[in-house]
Amino acid sequence: MGRIIQSGANDYAAGISRRSIGISRTLNRRVAVIATAWAIVFLLGSIPRVIFAPVPVNDAADLAALALPYLLIAAAPLAGLCLAERSFPAGTLTAQPEIRLAFYGKWRRLSVTEARADPAFGPTGFMASLLIGLLLNVVVRSFEFLVAVPPLNGHAPPWGQALFHMMAADVIVMGFFYMVCFVLALRSVPYFPRMLLFAWGLDVVMQLLIAQQVAATAGLPAEVADALQTLLRGNIDKVLISAAVWLPYLILSNRVNVTYRQRVRCG
């Protein structure tokens, strides 16, 4: 009976491994198509927001002030994708960073050839879930902005303009960096773990900057301030939860260490 259970567990694990390999390969082949399709869907969704904006649109400058943030939000992940892919082409062997940041545990270094020959090498298994999570983060943050933040131009109160532009800047910057993280993870680039750590830290800093800048704008209604505080706190909580969930895996996982640090655990 125990052998049957063990065999079933092994088959289940093997099935998950095969599916994760399929996911990684599909993402590697189709990421440009996926990113372009997302940008098109987002831009189509932004058209009604611009047309029915709650501010006057008297000339081309007013229209540009409304439309440009949406265009940049759609373009930022594509820019991150193109930059990362050009910087780290598929199949390129990237050297390890000279300074190690993950010291926990006892490890034996591997050569590039040994690491790539190891069965644990590659962004599969739980790493495939992280890849999907990075893409979903870009999509969810963008559509949260699309739904929650009204498009405002120079005819809006100063606090409204500050809110619209700061929130747009947050989505633009983080969409770019999270897509860079995605490509580094997918291409097995050694800089991925520290780039993701940088993106998490930048995300928290961006939320704090938005709170500081918008709160300092004269005339901010109390109900808007409360809603903004809730939104920004929720964004910070999501970053901290992601870090709490994934940091132990990024530090301790044999797959992560083989793939991105070219080392295996001793003993």
Side-chain angles (χ1 to χ4, degrees):
M1 186 67 175
R3 292 181 179 179
I4 295 175
I5 295 175
Q6 181 65 38
S7 176
N10 290 339
D11 291 343
Y12 180 73
I16 292 177
S17 178
R18 286 193 298 270
R19 285 193 291 272
S20 69
I21 292 172
I23 290 171
S24 296
R25 289 176 177 173
T26 299
L27 290 175
N28 202 20
R29 292 194 306 266
R30 302 293 185 183
V31 60
V33 175
I34 294 171
T36 303
W38 167 87
I40 293 172
V41 171
F42 178 81
L43 288 175
L44 290 175
S46 69
I47 292 174
R49 298 291 284 171
V50 173
I51 293 176
F52 300 105
V55 288
V57 180
N58 297 327
D59 50 34
D62 288 344
L63 180 61
L66 295 176
L68 184 59
Y70 294 105
L71 292 172
L72 293 177
I73 289 172
L78 291 173
L81 172 66
C82 293
L83 177 63
E85 286 190 332
R86 288 174 180 266
S87 300
F88 302 97
T92 301
L93 301 180
T94 305
Q96 287 286 309
E98 293 184 4
I99 300 175
R100 292 285 188 186
L101 298 181
F103 299 104
Y104 184 83
K106 296 182 179 180
W107 308 92
R108 177 175 64 85
R109 288 191 176 184
L110 300 174
S111 67
V112 175
T113 304
E114 289 175 324
R116 289 183 173 265
D118 194 292
F121 183 87
T124 58
F126 283 114
M127 274 303 304
S129 299
L130 181 53
L131 288 173
I132 294 173
L134 289 170
L135 285 182
L136 288 177
N137 192 24
V138 174
V139 173
V140 171
R141 291 283 285 272
S142 301
F143 277 101
E144 283 181 344
F145 173 84
L146 189 64
V147 172
V149 182
L152 301 172
N153 55 24
H155 298 288
W159 63 264
Q161 298 177 51
L163 176 63
F164 180 56
H165 293 144
M166 289 296 295
M167 294 297 291
D170 171 58
V171 180
I172 292 165
V173 171
M174 297 317 306
F176 175 87
F177 279 106
Y178 279 127
M179 184 57 77
V180 169
C181 290
F182 170 83
V183 175
L184 297 189
L186 191 63
R187 295 284 171 88
S188 302
V189 177
Y191 292 97
F192 162 67
R194 61 186 64 195
M195 177 57 75
L196 182 56
L197 187 63
F198 167 79
W200 282 335
L202 180 62
D203 204 345
V204 172
V205 170
M206 289 292 292
Q207 308 311 306
L208 297 177
L209 284 176
I210 293 171
Q212 181 183 31
Q213 293 297 318
V214 177
T217 306
L220 180 65
E223 60 273 17
V224 175
D226 291 341
L228 178 63
Q229 184 179 20
T230 300
L231 176 63
L232 298 180
R233 186 185 295 116
N235 288 341
I236 292 176
D237 288 344
K238 283 185 283 189
V239 174
L240 296 180
I241 291 171
S242 295
V245 170
W246 287 108
L247 265 180
Y249 175 75
L250 293 173
I251 294 172
L252 300 175
S253 165
N254 185 56
R255 180 174 299 281
V256 171
N257 280 282
V258 170
T259 303
Y260 303 104
R261 302 188 182 103
Q262 295 174 9
R263 64 186 188 181
V264 292
R265 194 183 304 277
C266 295

